[in-house]
Amino acid sequence: MGKEGGCGQNKTMVKQEQELANRPDNTAFTQQRLPAWQPMLSAGIVIPGFVIIGLAFIGIGVALFITSKNIQVMEMDYTGFEPDSDCFKCSNPEEKNCVCQLDFNISSRFEGPVFFYYGLSNYFQNYRRYGVSKDDAQLSGDLDNFKSPSDTCSPYDTDGIKPIVPCGSIANSMFNDTFLLYREVNGTNELVPLDGKGIAWWTDYNVKYRNPNVTPLKEAFEGTVKPLFWPRPAYELDTSDPNNNGFINQDFLVWMRRAALPDFRKLYRRIAQGDYARGLPAGNYSLKIAYNYPVLSFQGRKKVVFSNVSWMGGRNDFLGIAYLVIGSMCVFMSIVMLIVYAKFKFPEED
Amino acid sequence: MPLNLFEQFQRIANAYFLFLLVLQVIPQISSLSWFTTVVPLVLVLTVTAAKDATDDIVSKRVFFLCGKWMNVQVGDIIKLENNQFVTADLMLLSSSEPLNLVYIETAELDGETNLKVRQALTVTGDLGEDVEKLADFNGEVRCEPPNNRLDRFMGTLTYAGQKYPLDNEKVLLRGCTLRNTQWCFGLVLFGGPETKLMQNCGKTTFKRTSIDRLMNVLVLCIFGFLAFMCTVLAIGNCFWELNEGSNFTAFLPRQDGNEATFSAFLAFWSYVIILNTVVPISLYVSVEIIRLGNSFYIDWDGKMYHAANDTPAEARTTTLNEELGQIQYVFSDKTGTLTQNIMTFNKCSVNGKSYGESGNDQNKVDFSFNSLADPRFVFHDHSLVEAVKLENPEVHAFFRLLALCHTVMAEEKREGELFYLAQSPDEGALVTAARNFGFVFRSRTPDSVSIVEMGRQRSYELLAILDFNNVRKRMSVIVRSPEGKLSLYCKGADTIIYERLHRSCSKLMDVTTEHLNEFAGEGLRTLALAYKDLDEEYFNGWKRRHHEVSTSLDGREGKLDELYEEIEKDLLLLGATAVEDKLQDGVPQTIELLSKAHIKIWVLTGDKQETAENIGYSCNLLREEMNEVFVVSGNSPEDVRQELRSEVSPIGKCFPSHPIHFFVLIRGSELAFLRLACLCKAVICCRVTPLQKAQVVELVKKHKQAVTLAIGDGANDVSMIKAAHIGVGISGQEGMQAVLSSDYSFAQFRFLQRLLLVHGRWSYLRMCKFLRYFFYKNFTFTFVHFWYAFFCGFSAQTVYDEWFITLYNLVYTALPVLGMSLFDQDVNDAWSFQHPQLYVPGQLNLYFSKKAFFKCALHSCYSSLVLFFIPYAAVHDTVRDDGKDVADYQSFALLTQTCLLFAVTIQLGFEMSYWTAVNTFFVLGSLAMYFAVTFTMYSDGMFLTLPSAFPFIGTGRNSLNQPNIWLTILLTSILCVLPVVTYRFLFIQLCPTINDKVQVRQAKATPPPPPRRTRIRRTSSRRSGYAFSHAQGYGDLVTSGRFLRRPALPRSSGFSHAGRTTTSFSPMGRSAGYSPTGRPQNAKVSDVEVTSLQMYKTIRDPAL
């Protein structure tokens, strides 16, 4: 605007200013002159940027990779798919209350704290209709929904007469294999204590899931039936700890937090008590499995996993390798760019 | 309001979302909660309704403006006053002027600037202004049905038992303006849409931009693609159900009778819901908002505000902005658009001396010595006044000629207050100049002219007017001075005058020729002046013969011409005048800039060829290097076709590899010239009717698939304004017609450069960036679902939290991209003007096309793969640092959506080249908003309020405290943008675009050099700037006591009379393209002249 007016007309401009009702506001915003930063992909930024990112990534990658390599993981399939495995006998769905044993050896000390997981493969907890098959209100302790569970639970909402609590596919399909770990000490099997407290999210057992405010808990479940696949009703899930029953049972909560991917593992127990707080010493171990959960019908697999953790969580080589690869690529590309820049940079004066 | 909703649902897009909503309430299909669609839909409908409401208010305001003329009906009698705009086709009944004359200006209608005369029938004229009598007027008019012929009217008036013929001369058409007439009465013949003007206006069509059309095609493609993806996933679902799902029934029982195929069918619709984000609901509304914002910038632009008449620019249509950045053809009106429609006497050459220097306001010549001077007249050369005061005889003769030789009529309402009624503004300018220099034309009778010569009243006896016409290109008067001396004064085109000069003038001719060249080079309209004294005896003989010829019946025209030829010879040269047809400010610079931006400018005018050509030169449209000027001027379709055919081939032979610089002037009706015209650098179409203007535009639109812009100020431009992709009206003037039908309006032609090169370019850039980014971010968002389908049994499980799906487009990513689309500029306005080539990518559709869209989709595909598989691999089979598993669905959803949001935000950062504080705030604010909203949604409080709506409780706290989650986010973000940065950097280095170069220069050299606004100097070889907005027929009116016995000729016959029935294509060098002196002109000019003469021959030979 200023240029257009010219100096000679300044006086008249000022005079006119009042009369000119339609003159647009002369602000940086309306005139699109807002001060701005105009970054450019210039060689001076891009090439050093690539080098720095590359080096940083390589650094992170090395740290991640080494950390990951130091994490001990032991995985054992116990589906009983192979005829020579002890659990083969249990893989027949007709077999009830089958117990099988899995022996294994730890050659060097398994640093503590050790976490004990069960894993399932080809198991679609992320299937949409499976995922919605629960009643949130019921699980937060609403007694109305004990009597009439939500439609979303169908077909596991009633057994035909009485409502099912907790209703729905997820609850119904709760993992119900149980494990006992023995360590062979001087020829005898010593039970390794397993800690099942606090394996679920704090928010889950304190906020999201709540038992109805009825004591004893059993009375709340009056007039309901347990899920079809369950051996015991919800209020008797943990016979040893009365506070770990109902909807806030830790195993139940772990199961209810459904997995994102069809191959997953879930925390079963921690091994952090007594002598085992520092880890599992080298030696022979045997795992007694109460084999209840059928997976072979859908080509599923079951496994147990022992693992310890680091600052970055469980073992995962991928992240470290990915950082290393991308970091190297950055450095490589920066060299390519430098060559291209030196050889082909466009003449800026023309 | 309900009606508005109904209308909105008629839009296909909105109906589609309604359909989605219906799908979502079917429980078997519903893969998403209802609110994911309802919230955006409600928001979009609200915004659209608000915008519609504001549009309604605006259009009501316009409607109100037009309301005054609404009630006029056929048969009404209307009184018009001076300078009023005629808004219906009227039959003239009576007028204030003698002989029931009215003067009208038809510039609005046909672009001609001369005044025209209309005369009422005597029988109606007698009604005068007696309202009683007029009210009792009881006649019957029978006339032709409404049509678009502006130059013809046929009808009869039956009044008092008698029939009177009606023709064009009795009719005032809508679009005229009454001039120099106090009042007149007219009977409405046609009103509203039946008026000839409106018949010429063409249809109002809803305009859409090419991006709109492309977007519609793309949206269809996207729908196809959506169907494809859903089909793939449905088939996947079918196979999964057969192979896995049927075995999985222990945990996930099937409903009775649900077969795999039925499940696949449901999955198809479920995926339609989930993947619908490829056709984002907010796309259309965002596009509207961006256009609205960019329209506001036009309204607000101080550099497009014209202080002189307090007129800001106005974007009257808010849906066409980005098209402004893609214009390939500009069609401009001449009168009032390129020119100001003001003629000023600028320079003159008297007896070999050139007068008239351009100067500033300080050294204006003071005309106070002359009490009759026109105060508005401005002249800067004092030496001419000195010469007049010193009684230099040649100078006196010069001005005496100007005061005598014309057909202007004077009106003196009060003593000393003179008004000139000039048929052409050129003539008015010349007579006014004479008036100020002391030779005041005061009054005339049919046989005398009274002038005040340096204060002395003198009356010259007017013996004959040898009138002007297009062949003669000159007019003469024969007068007897009070002293009894007989003289012939002649003014006309220099070439014509030079042929008739006495041999003794040759030296003066040379000097004057130089001056004429100079004047013509500046684009001035020149006339040469000459006189001769007549012998009494000879004149008497001539007069007798003249009388005989005038009364003879056959071949009168030819015989008269011969007589005129005979007496107009052996003239003595007095000098030359130069009148400036004042261009609007900055027109030549604008045209130069636009042509540098590869915009072709065609001038379409109803005016005559000479004036059009003259303006073409003065506004830099025609330049010296365009050394072929072709005139297509056949009168019949066959002639024109032949001309066009005969011309195209020789050009091809002569200049196979060079660009061809020439222009075509079109006269005639057939416009099958497109092929030829498009080879031309500049095209001027003269004598085109308003409807033909539209036809030219349509022709280019249809056959060149080019984006067109039409700019005009008058009612005669309405049709082309409506026809072109973009119509621009010049506002701040009397007529509102053009503005009302335009899409953009501003006060000065030069603002067009800012509208196109700045606003248009930015709008296009912003819109394209927006679309590219918008499709990118939505495709990326959606494709992740596609990949996830392969890992969740094709069950239509979403990857993200439903709230994220709801808010992604509306809250988390809306403002940053809007900010970019409202503020982004690759180079600032000054540099845009500095490098007009920056405009070219828009014309070539480079920034957003099917190809660019495909690239976007590929880029999205890459990003989505990264965004799904990196988190997949990072959390698969691993655990948190406290040993709990991390790969639960909710944590995974949070991780993926956070990665996605970071990736698309960083990508936006790379798209944006202009980071204002607002942009930074939007970008960072959106990220902050994401975290704030996420943590709120995942908080205990929200869950306890509505447990079923906020199932993600605690996920934020439990996941985002994990280092490997953040490392994954960092990894995906970097991995998404690294290839883009690499590609762009290498691209800039290896084949930089003009934008890249200018950006670098802008960064290095701020501030940019100010745009040069020097007057464009041409070394002109153009011999004559002769042009005269004059029609034949006025001289008779002046001399005959019986005014207007012979009517002014209507336009169609006007040029058949003119004798220019050239049937073959005549490549005229210029209107007077040879040197009459036969001598070389001054050295600087001469070689150009030679070249042009050579060219003239080169072209002509093959034609022969």
Side-chain angles (χ1 to χ4, degrees), chain A residues 158-172:
Chain A
T158 62
D159 67 346
I161 306 146
K162 286 179 177 175
I164 298 174
V165 177
C167 70
S169 284
I170 312 181
N172 187 56

mmCIF file of all heavy atoms in Angstrom, chain A residues 158-172:
data_model
loop_
_atom_site.group_PDB
_atom_site.id
_atom_site.type_symbol
_atom_site.label_atom_id
_atom_site.label_comp_id
_atom_site.label_asym_id
_atom_site.label_seq_id
_atom_site.Cartn_x
_atom_site.Cartn_y
_atom_site.Cartn_z
ATOM 1 N N THR A 158 -27.349 -65.357 28.226
ATOM 2 C CA THR A 158 -28.062 -66.226 29.170
ATOM 3 C C THR A 158 -27.811 -67.676 28.764
ATOM 4 O O THR A 158 -27.426 -67.949 27.616
ATOM 5 C CB THR A 158 -29.581 -65.991 29.141
ATOM 6 O OG1 THR A 158 -30.057 -66.315 27.829
ATOM 7 C CG2 THR A 158 -29.943 -64.558 29.478
ATOM 8 N N ASP A 159 -28.025 -68.535 29.710
ATOM 9 C CA ASP A 159 -27.929 -69.953 29.343
ATOM 10 C C ASP A 159 -29.286 -70.479 28.890
ATOM 11 O O ASP A 159 -29.531 -71.667 28.847
ATOM 12 C CB ASP A 159 -27.398 -70.774 30.528
ATOM 13 C CG ASP A 159 -28.393 -70.803 31.678
ATOM 14 O OD1 ASP A 159 -29.337 -69.980 31.662
ATOM 15 O OD2 ASP A 159 -28.220 -71.630 32.591
ATOM 16 N N GLY A 160 -30.150 -69.573 28.604
ATOM 17 C CA GLY A 160 -31.496 -69.948 28.197
ATOM 18 C C GLY A 160 -32.497 -69.588 29.265
ATOM 19 O O GLY A 160 -33.624 -69.229 28.965
ATOM 20 N N ILE A 161 -32.073 -69.671 30.511
ATOM 21 C CA ILE A 161 -32.988 -69.351 31.619
ATOM 22 C C ILE A 161 -32.421 -68.201 32.440
ATOM 23 O O ILE A 161 -33.029 -67.165 32.619
ATOM 24 C CB ILE A 161 -33.196 -70.573 32.533
ATOM 25 C CG1 ILE A 161 -33.654 -71.770 31.677
ATOM 26 C CG2 ILE A 161 -34.206 -70.262 33.635
ATOM 27 C CD1 ILE A 161 -33.141 -73.093 32.173
ATOM 28 N N LYS A 162 -31.192 -68.427 32.900
ATOM 29 C CA LYS A 162 -30.598 -67.455 33.802
ATOM 30 C C LYS A 162 -29.523 -66.652 33.067
ATOM 31 O O LYS A 162 -28.871 -67.158 32.145
ATOM 32 C CB LYS A 162 -29.944 -68.185 34.980
ATOM 33 C CG LYS A 162 -30.954 -68.733 35.972
ATOM 34 C CD LYS A 162 -30.228 -69.453 37.079
ATOM 35 C CE LYS A 162 -31.195 -69.950 38.123
ATOM 36 N NZ LYS A 162 -30.505 -70.765 39.140
ATOM 37 N N PRO A 163 -29.361 -65.413 33.528
ATOM 38 C CA PRO A 163 -28.304 -64.619 32.900
ATOM 39 C C PRO A 163 -26.918 -65.119 33.290
ATOM 40 O O PRO A 163 -26.726 -65.630 34.394
ATOM 41 C CB PRO A 163 -28.558 -63.208 33.452
ATOM 42 C CG PRO A 163 -29.285 -63.426 34.722
ATOM 43 C CD PRO A 163 -30.113 -64.660 34.550
ATOM 44 N N ILE A 164 -25.995 -64.964 32.357
ATOM 45 C CA ILE A 164 -24.616 -65.348 32.610
ATOM 46 C C ILE A 164 -23.881 -64.122 33.141
ATOM 47 O O ILE A 164 -23.984 -63.032 32.573
ATOM 48 C CB ILE A 164 -23.932 -65.839 31.320
ATOM 49 C CG1 ILE A 164 -24.656 -67.087 30.801
ATOM 50 C CG2 ILE A 164 -22.460 -66.109 31.555
ATOM 51 C CD1 ILE A 164 -24.163 -67.571 29.470
ATOM 52 N N VAL A 165 -23.144 -64.302 34.218
ATOM 53 C CA VAL A 165 -22.314 -63.215 34.737
ATOM 54 C C VAL A 165 -20.931 -63.775 35.028
ATOM 55 O O VAL A 165 -20.817 -64.769 35.745
ATOM 56 C CB VAL A 165 -22.904 -62.607 36.023
ATOM 57 C CG1 VAL A 165 -21.966 -61.533 36.556
ATOM 58 C CG2 VAL A 165 -24.276 -62.025 35.756
ATOM 59 N N PRO A 166 -19.863 -63.195 34.528
ATOM 60 C CA PRO A 166 -19.797 -62.148 33.511
ATOM 61 C C PRO A 166 -20.153 -62.698 32.139
ATOM 62 O O PRO A 166 -19.737 -63.800 31.805
ATOM 63 C CB PRO A 166 -18.333 -61.709 33.577
ATOM 64 C CG PRO A 166 -17.608 -62.895 34.098
ATOM 65 C CD PRO A 166 -18.547 -63.632 34.993
ATOM 66 N N CYS A 167 -20.911 -61.914 31.406
ATOM 67 C CA CYS A 167 -21.436 -62.410 30.144
ATOM 68 C C CYS A 167 -20.450 -62.142 29.012
ATOM 69 O O CYS A 167 -19.463 -61.434 29.166
ATOM 70 C CB CYS A 167 -22.771 -61.758 29.843
ATOM 71 S SG CYS A 167 -22.636 -60.020 29.438
ATOM 72 N N GLY A 168 -20.744 -62.717 27.849
ATOM 73 C CA GLY A 168 -19.979 -62.399 26.652
ATOM 74 C C GLY A 168 -18.871 -63.372 26.339
ATOM 75 O O GLY A 168 -18.442 -64.173 27.179
ATOM 76 N N SER A 169 -18.406 -63.268 25.106
ATOM 77 C CA SER A 169 -17.415 -64.210 24.583
ATOM 78 C C SER A 169 -16.069 -64.080 25.274
ATOM 79 O O SER A 169 -15.395 -65.069 25.523
ATOM 80 C CB SER A 169 -17.212 -63.979 23.095
ATOM 81 O OG SER A 169 -18.284 -64.508 22.393
ATOM 82 N N ILE A 170 -15.660 -62.842 25.560
ATOM 83 C CA ILE A 170 -14.314 -62.671 26.109
ATOM 84 C C ILE A 170 -14.225 -63.377 27.451
ATOM 85 O O ILE A 170 -13.323 -64.182 27.697
ATOM 86 C CB ILE A 170 -13.965 -61.179 26.291
ATOM 87 C CG1 ILE A 170 -14.294 -60.384 25.040
ATOM 88 C CG2 ILE A 170 -12.495 -61.023 26.626
ATOM 89 C CD1 ILE A 170 -13.936 -58.920 25.155
ATOM 90 N N ALA A 171 -15.199 -63.041 28.303
ATOM 91 C CA ALA A 171 -15.172 -63.645 29.630
ATOM 92 C C ALA A 171 -15.303 -65.160 29.523
ATOM 93 O O ALA A 171 -14.572 -65.917 30.176
ATOM 94 C CB ALA A 171 -16.292 -63.057 30.473
ATOM 95 N N ASN A 172 -16.186 -65.583 28.679
ATOM 96 C CA ASN A 172 -16.454 -67.012 28.546
ATOM 97 C C ASN A 172 -15.214 -67.784 28.142
ATOM 98 O O ASN A 172 -14.993 -68.907 28.580
ATOM 99 C CB ASN A 172 -17.566 -67.207 27.526
ATOM 100 C CG ASN A 172 -18.016 -68.652 27.453
ATOM 101 O OD1 ASN A 172 -18.401 -69.226 28.464
ATOM 102 N ND2 ASN A 172 -17.909 -69.239 26.283
#
